Amino acid sequence: MGSHPGRGAVGASRIAHWRAARPRTAALLLALALIPALGVAAPASDTASAAVLVDYPSWDDVQAAKADEAAAKAEITRIQALLADLEDEVAATQKVAEEKGAIYAEAQSAYDEQAYIAQQLQEQADAAQEEADDAKRTAAQLIANLSRGAAGTDLTATLFAQSDKADALLYNLSAQQKFSSTNQQLYTRAVQLQNNAQSLTDQAAVAQELLDELRAIAEAAFEEAQEAAIVAQEAYDAQAENKARLEAQLEVLTTKREVTEADYRAGVEARAAASGGVVNAQGWANPTSGYISSPFGNRYHPIYHVWKLHSGTDIAGGGYNAPIYAAADGRVVYAGYYSDLGYYIKIDHGGGIVTGYAHINTGGMLVSVGEIVIAGQQIAKAGSTGGSTGPHLHFMVYQNGVLTNPVTFMQDRGVTLG
């Protein structure tokens, strides 16, 4: 097995990075504490109350006003004012959700990057330990073969179990010309490899310690953002029906077109119908169609011009409002604005598997937090919100809390992305 002399240097630079990250960790905790204290969540409850107290016009009111020009103008003015109020109220709750979503995104991003680093370090440490163990076994066997029968000394057990006696033993063997310079080099190399393995193990432990800190921060930020997203969605849902009806009533008054409640309902139902994706025999569906425009892994960011972890696979080609489907059955655990990822949906499929769908178009989220979805169900429409250069789906997969390559993950489940 070959040696890896660069591991130690990489580990040292990571240690410096982790220590530098601690002030940001504290800042995130402070931000989470301050947001509720600032009272920014107040508009959400105000919105819910307003939705109950507002006296909306009925279809009978509209039909009666249509017959009189002055009454029609007054009703138009009233409806336009109600629509403006609805926009303001929904915007207020959305602003809170975006602020908390941004904090959650930063905390989760820090955790994801650290989890990726910790996983790589642990893999390196395990490989280094295996290499060291192989070298020790080889060296010990050679030494034991040379010294077999000499005063009954069992060097295989002694050299590495009692390192304080190693120098004396090696000296005696050399003096007796039973230990060549080649064997001395084998022993020295085995010790060096063991030291390198121990160093990497220590670094992995430090990485895990910081990861535990970041996990707690990300979980707290998630709770805040999830609650804000739920409030914003409830406010939006509560007002959406009123907004659609008001706009239809306004059209009746401004165009004098005959529209009844039954016509309006039929239109709503037609718009609600959504197509489904194809589900394979394993119960998985392709989240969208198109080509892979950017793979998972470290890359040079096209907007921020820095090297950073690209947390998912970008699938483009479908344009704005291209359907996005749930990759498998699950429960929606987040649906809201998520900073650089724009509008974002996260689905927990159980068994440690979570998928994410980002850059959703404004107004393109079709599910909400807590909703149960099935594989192939349309959950959103593609867009370019957040840090994006064009419409596409940024598709993410977590396994036991750690980001993984969506392409290989989906391939193992019979789905080819792109």
Side-chain angles (χ1 to χ4, degrees):
M1 187 177 293
S3 62
H4 300 274
R7 287 175 177 160
V10 172
S13 66
R14 291 302 190 192
I15 293 289
H17 169 75
W18 299 326
R19 288 173 176 164
R22 291 181 185 272
R24 183 178 69 175
T25 298
L28 281 169
L29 284 171
L30 179 61
L32 286 170
L34 285 177
I35 282 186
L38 294 174
V40 293
S45 58
D46 293 344
T47 299
S49 300
V52 176
L53 298 176
V54 172
D55 181 22
Y56 292 104
S58 68
W59 284 92
D60 289 340
D61 293 337
V62 172
Q63 295 297 334
K66 189 174 65 172
D68 181 83
E69 186 174 348
K73 287 182 178 179
E75 198 67 14
I76 288 172
T77 301
R78 177 190 173 197
I79 290 175
Q80 288 174 333
L82 287 170
L83 284 169
D85 289 344
L86 289 175
E87 293 293 338
D88 291 343
E89 290 162 359
V90 172
T93 57
Q94 184 60 37
K95 183 174 183 293
V96 175
E98 290 184 10
E99 289 171 349
K100 294 193 176 183
I103 293 176
Y104 169 41
E106 184 177 355
Q108 185 66 46
S109 178
Y111 173 83
D112 288 345
E113 290 185 13
Q114 184 60 27
Y116 189 67
I117 291 170
Q119 183 183 54
Q120 289 182 316
L121 264 176
Q122 189 59 58
E123 289 174 355
Q124 290 179 6
D126 292 343
Q129 186 60 58
E130 183 179 351
E131 187 177 9
D133 290 343
D134 286 344
K136 287 194 293 184
R137 280 192 294 268
T138 300
Q141 186 61 48
L142 288 173
I143 295 170
N145 288 339
L146 286 173
S147 61
R148 187 171 289 125
T153 304
D154 183 1
L155 293 180
T156 302
T158 305
L159 273 176
F160 298 104
Q162 303 180 38
S163 58
D164 58 324
K165 297 181 180 180
D167 289 340
L169 287 168
L170 292 174
Y171 175 80
N172 290 335
L173 287 170
S174 178
Q176 297 171 28
Q177 297 182 345
K178 290 184 177 180
F179 195 68
S180 67
S181 61
T182 300
N183 293 329
Q184 175 70 58
Q185 292 170 4
L186 282 173
Y187 171 76
T188 301
R189 172 171 166 72
V191 172
Q192 290 173 341
L193 287 173
Q194 179 58 52
N195 290 339
N196 182 50
Q198 186 60 52
S199 175
L200 283 167
T201 299
D202 292 344
Q203 292 171 33
V206 173
Q208 186 62 47
E209 179 185 348
L210 180 57
L211 184 62
D212 292 340
E213 294 178 14
L214 293 177
R215 178 187 290 110
I217 295 170
E219 287 175 353
F222 168 74
E223 294 293 337
E224 292 276 345
Q226 184 187 51
E227 182 180 352
I230 291 172
V231 172
Q233 187 65 44
E234 288 176 347
Y236 179 84
D237 291 342
Q239 303 299 353
E241 172 73 8
N242 293 321
K243 180 180 178 181
R245 186 176 63 254
L246 287 171
E247 289 175 340
Q249 291 172 342
L250 186 61
E251 185 176 2
V252 170
L253 291 170
T254 55
T255 66
K256 292 185 169 48
R257 182 172 64 85
E258 289 295 334
V259 178
T260 66
E261 174 74 8
D263 295 331
Y264 165 71
R265 288 291 174 191
V268 170
E269 291 172 4
R271 288 191 297 272
S275 59
V278 177
V279 182
N280 68 15
Q282 298 183 54
W284 287 81
N286 200 318
T288 195
S289 59
Y291 62 91
I292 294 178
S293 57
S294 187
F296 171 84
N298 287 315
R299 69 164 185 177
Y300 189 72
H301 199 284
I303 296 176
Y304 306 119
H305 305 299
V306 294
W307 283 94
K308 62 182 298 187
L309 174 65
H310 187 231
S311 58
T313 297
D314 289 348
I315 306 172
Y320 285 99
N321 294 321
I324 297 172
Y325 307 109
D329 298 350
R331 182 174 64 88
V332 178
V333 293
Y334 189 80
Y337 204 81
Y338 191 75
S339 189
D340 199 45
L341 293 182
Y343 287 103
Y344 172 64
I345 291 172
K346 199 171 187 179
I347 300 176
D348 187 344
H349 304 285
I353 305 300
V354 175
T355 55
Y357 311 76
H359 302 308
I360 294 167
N361 206 6
T362 303
M365 291 197 301
L366 307 180
V367 294
S368 55
V369 173
E371 187 170 339
I372 302 300
V373 298
I374 61 174
Q377 175 182 337
Q378 185 176 357
I379 58 171
K381 300 176 183 179
S384 188
T385 54
S388 170
T389 57
H392 69 282
L393 167 65
H394 177 84
F395 180 59
M396 305 161 64
V397 176
Y398 288 88
Q399 281 188 288
N400 299 318
V402 181
L403 284 167
T404 190
N405 190 333
V407 170
T408 54
F409 176 88
M410 295 298 283
Q411 280 178 345
D412 291 341
R413 287 151 184 82
V415 176
T416 301
L417 298 181

